[in-house]
Amino acid sequence: MNFFRRKKKPKKPKLQQKPQLQQQENKEENKNENENENEKKELPLDEKFTHIFEGHSSEIRCLHIYKDFLFTGSYDSNIKKWNIENQECLGTVDAKSYVFSLSVYKGVLYSTGSYLIAWDPETFTKLKEYSSSFGGYIFCQAFYENMIYTGGAEFLLRSFEIKDQRLANGEIYIWDLNNLHHIGTLKDHTNGVWALVYANGFLYSGSSDHSIGKWDLEDQKRVGNWKENKDSIVFMAQKDKLLFSGDESGYSVALDMANDQVIKKFRAPVCVWAVGVTENYLFLGSRDSKIRSWDISALFISISLKEDLQILFDSQEFCDNQIETFDGSLKIHSLIVFFRLKKKPTEIISFFENQSIQVAKDFFKWVYTGYAKDSEQIKEILKNLEINPENRLESDSIIRMMNELYLDEETKDFTILVRGEEIKAHKIILFARSEVFRGMFLSVNDSSNSVSDYSDKSPQAIKTVVQFLYTETLSDDTPLEVLEEIKDADDFYQFNLKSPFQKELDRLSLPKIFLDDN
């Protein structure tokens, strides 16, 4: 590919850290070199990307996905608009400075750098250019109720209506979008803020202090803090309940915002500065001026699976064993405990006699869902129970447990009768994952060998649905007529056919496309 020579510009801003902090980080890296190498081998994102977008002549600094378009900003001062499906560049505009962030708010695309510019994302034309009285750059932006939140990193900033110079060292400025008056500041980070995302009622911030902050915007207070990244956080992106963050070293973290839990960590094979996420694909913009996409549909356990297992844990229905602690008791399901820990409950009950009920609840919540409030505490308990924590602390250990349950015919205690054919399943799994069965089990006092008659459906359709309730996947050779039967039967959607199931149906019955439904 031919790269165009770009105009000479001021030196690019570098992520700045306090010297002693940087020295400490370097020492940590040297001391733990072997540990880091082992960690890299375990991280799942490999070099087999699905697509590549080429056209920029310098580092990619930001990505934003809107409808079926990908917008990219670069140090070449250009913003490009791409067709996601065929990787065709649909247009290029000059943003007059390095482009650090892109966001769409109320149908308007905003870009930041030395300028704040509003664009029409459909026609890709400039709508408005705001004040250019910056002594530095705006590195990130987020919107909430006609307010724009901006972050910078140790650059003197004289923006909008602020006439005095301010050092943007870990501060997030709040502006009225109507008149761009400064109306507040969020303070808690100890170094510059490079990434902002508004999602699910909270503002999330990524900083050079290696932390992610969660902010309550009503009280303007920081209510969450994570330090899972290895370096200065340079990008964040959100899709549904997942928040992706990444740092200068290429180390990325996926955070389940609904439960404030880190569910996956991985390292990209390229140096990444920007990220975008759709239902099934992760887009990474790198320093080599290219954007690559990866299929992440199989990378994470469906959040709905964890939520459903949480329902089972909280309900205490159909429990067949009990844990006694010095200040309370907790009912559990022997089947879940055995398949998750490979130990019978009777082998672990005595350990909790001297523990608090809260310790027991936290541990067994992890057993059911994989959520660890304190991962070190989980490791210590596993050690005391003589259980090897290897592979059990990984998020995909839950899906492995569910796959094992699906294949274990001996422990299945419920029968669905479909046109004379018996389909076996576990009652507690149907209870957890199907709203239809949950309502039936709660309203009728069924015995453990209850039979449900679905003679108006085909056996293959019911088998397909039951398989998904366990495995979160559908077989690639599922007949198209079965998929159509499931899609056309409205009552099937009460089987917990939430978005993960719909994604699988679309994957098998429709052409593969990358679309964002925002």
Side-chain angles (χ1 to χ4, degrees):
M1 168 181 181
N2 293 324
F3 291 97
F4 297 99
R5 186 181 299 274
R6 57 182 175 145
K7 298 178 182 178
K8 188 174 181 180
K9 293 180 178 286
K11 189 177 181 181
K12 296 173 191 172
K14 296 181 179 179
L15 297 180
Q16 301 186 25
Q17 295 181 332
K18 297 178 181 179
Q20 63 270 26
L21 180 59
Q22 184 64 62
Q23 291 173 6
Q24 182 179 350
E25 288 295 316
N26 290 338
K27 290 179 180 179
E28 294 268 342
E29 291 177 5
N30 291 334
K31 289 180 180 178
N32 300 310
E33 183 177 355
N34 293 333
E35 180 182 340
N36 290 338
E37 286 303 316
N38 290 333
E39 182 181 41
K40 290 179 187 178
K41 295 177 183 178
E42 297 173 358
L43 299 173
L45 196 60
D46 59 26
E47 298 180 1
K48 297 179 181 178
F49 51 86
T50 54
H51 293 91
I52 189 167
F53 300 75
E54 298 183 89
H56 282 287
S57 59
S58 189
E59 295 96 319
I60 308 300
R61 186 57 189 87
C62 53
L63 304 176
H64 188 80
I65 297 166
Y66 178 66
K67 296 184 177 178
D68 54 350
F69 303 115
L70 172 67
F71 293 89
T72 60
S74 168
Y75 278 146
D76 63 11
S77 297
N78 290 327
I79 302 172
K80 290 184 179 291
K81 179 180 179 180
W82 309 82
N83 182 309
I84 294 180
E85 185 175 355
N86 60 20
Q87 301 85 57
E88 177 188 359
C89 182
L90 303 176
T92 303
V93 294
D94 185 0
K96 299 173 61 176
S97 76
Y98 299 134
V99 185
F100 284 103
S101 69
L102 294 167
S103 294
V104 171
Y105 181 65
K106 293 185 176 180
V108 176
L109 174 69
Y110 292 88
S111 65
T112 68
S114 294
Y115 309 90
L116 174 66
I117 302 177
W119 310 85
D120 184 330
E122 303 295 340
T123 63
F124 214 28
T125 55
K126 184 187 295 187
L127 300 176
K128 186 175 181 179
E129 182 177 312
Y130 294 91
S131 170
S132 60
S133 59
F134 293 98
Y137 298 98
I138 297 180
F139 288 160
C140 51
Q141 56 174 317
F143 295 87
Y144 168 69
E145 292 188 350
N146 258 9
M147 290 180 285
I148 178 172
Y149 294 74
T150 64
E154 297 194 2
F155 284 84
L156 293 177
L157 185 64
R158 292 175 298 163
S159 51
F160 306 135
E161 296 301 318
I162 291 186
K163 303 303 181 182
D164 58 314
Q165 293 188 343
R166 292 171 178 247
L167 186 64
N169 184 14
E171 297 180 353
I172 302 169
Y173 291 147
I174 311 171
W175 315 86
D176 186 327
L177 191 58
N178 296 316
N179 53 31
L180 295 181
H181 288 170
H182 176 253
I183 56 177
T185 304
L186 303 179
K187 300 180 180 180
D188 194 60
H189 283 293
T190 58
N191 215 321
V193 177
W194 281 79
L196 291 171
V197 167
Y198 176 77
N200 302 320
F202 295 94
L203 180 71
Y204 293 84
S205 56
S207 169
S208 293
D209 62 14
H210 303 187
S211 74
I212 298 172
K214 178 181 179 181
W215 304 82
D216 183 325
L217 296 184
E218 297 298 327
D219 296 333
Q220 295 191 11
K221 292 182 179 179
R222 187 169 179 171
V223 294
N225 180 61
W226 295 270
K227 277 202 171 186
E228 301 289 341
N229 288 89
K230 304 293 186 180
D231 209 329
S232 299
I233 297 172
V234 294
F235 65 77
M236 293 197 304
Q238 171 258 343
K239 182 62 183 175
D240 298 330
K241 298 177 182 179
L242 291 181
L243 178 72
F244 293 81
S245 68
D247 58 40
E248 278 196 296
S249 67
Y251 190 83
S252 298
V253 171
L255 173 72
D256 177 1
M257 294 180 288
N259 295 278
D260 291 340
Q261 292 283 341
V262 172
I263 64 170
K264 204 73 176 181
K265 302 176 184 179
F266 56 91
R267 188 185 300 276
V270 292
C271 187
V272 178
W273 275 80
V275 66
V277 188
T278 65
E279 293 288 348
N280 296 310
Y281 292 88
L282 181 70
F283 297 84
L284 300 179
S286 65
R287 287 183 176 175
D288 64 4
S289 76
K290 300 174 183 178
I291 302 102
R292 298 168 176 84
S293 64
W294 277 264
D295 186 340
I296 59 170
S297 57
L299 194 59
F300 304 102
I301 296 178
S302 166
I303 292 178
S304 70
L305 171 57
K306 292 186 174 184
E307 290 175 342
D308 290 343
L309 290 174
Q310 179 73 51
I311 290 174
L312 178 65
F313 176 66
D314 291 339
S315 71
Q316 301 282 285
E317 294 288 340
F318 311 116
C319 292
D320 57 358
N321 221 312
Q322 185 163 298
I323 298 294
E324 298 290 344
T325 70
F326 71 80
D327 59 349
S329 61
L330 178 69
K331 293 181 179 179
I332 59 173
H333 302 88
S334 299
L335 191 70
I336 298 294
V337 173
F338 177 76
F339 275 85
R340 183 80 160 93
L341 302 179
K342 304 304 180 188
K343 278 185 177 287
K344 296 178 180 178
T346 53
E347 298 178 79
I348 65 175
I349 284 177
S350 60
F351 170 79
F352 290 95
E353 293 176 353
N354 297 320
Q355 305 296 323
S356 68
I357 187 64
Q358 190 58 53
V359 168
K361 284 182 177 179
D362 289 345
F363 178 75
F364 284 99
K365 179 180 179 180
W366 167 81
V367 169
Y368 280 70
T369 70
Y371 290 128
K373 185 176 182 180
D374 184 343
S375 58
E376 292 303 316
Q377 182 183 70
I378 299 298
K379 290 179 183 178
E380 187 64 27
I381 293 176
L382 291 175
K383 181 179 178 181
N384 280 283
L385 295 176
E386 297 182 350
I387 298 174
N388 188 348
E390 185 178 358
N391 297 327
R392 286 190 173 87
L393 289 172
E394 296 177 1
S395 59
D396 57 1
S397 61
I398 300 295
I399 203 69
R400 290 201 302 270
M401 175 190 75
M402 294 294 287
N403 283 326
E404 290 177 9
L405 281 168
Y406 176 67
L407 295 173
D408 192 272
E409 296 294 329
E410 291 185 8
T411 57
K412 291 179 179 177
D413 56 0
F414 190 84
T415 302
I416 305 173
L417 185 62
V418 185
R419 299 179 185 177
E421 184 171 341
E422 293 185 348
I423 300 171
K424 298 287 188 177
H426 295 94
K427 190 173 184 178
I428 60 173
I429 300 302
L430 295 178
F431 174 88
R433 305 232 62 199
S434 165
E435 294 178 8
V436 169
F437 281 112
R438 190 181 309 146
M440 182 177 67
F441 293 153
L442 291 176
S443 61
V444 180
N445 185 21
D446 290 312
S447 61
S448 61
N449 61 346
S450 296
V451 175
S452 182
D453 188 352
Y454 280 87
S455 56
D456 59 329
K457 306 294 188 299
S458 72
Q460 186 59 43
I462 295 292
K463 286 180 181 179
T464 299
V465 172
V466 171
Q467 176 189 352
F468 178 82
L469 296 183
Y470 282 87
T471 67
E472 292 271 287
T473 59
L474 298 178
S475 174
D476 288 344
D477 58 2
T478 303
L480 184 60
E481 58 269 22
V482 172
L483 298 176
E484 291 301 323
E485 177 186 346
I486 296 172
K487 293 178 71 173
D488 292 341
D490 291 338
D491 56 336
F492 264 55
Y493 282 83
Q494 300 181 66
F495 268 80
N496 192 41
L497 305 193
K498 302 175 184 177
S499 57
F501 194 95
Q502 188 61 51
K503 291 177 193 175
E504 281 290 280
L505 288 177
D506 292 342
R507 179 179 71 84
L508 295 177
S509 59
L510 298 174
K512 266 193 176 181
I513 54 175
F514 317 148
L515 290 179
D516 181 87
D517 56 5
N518 288 334

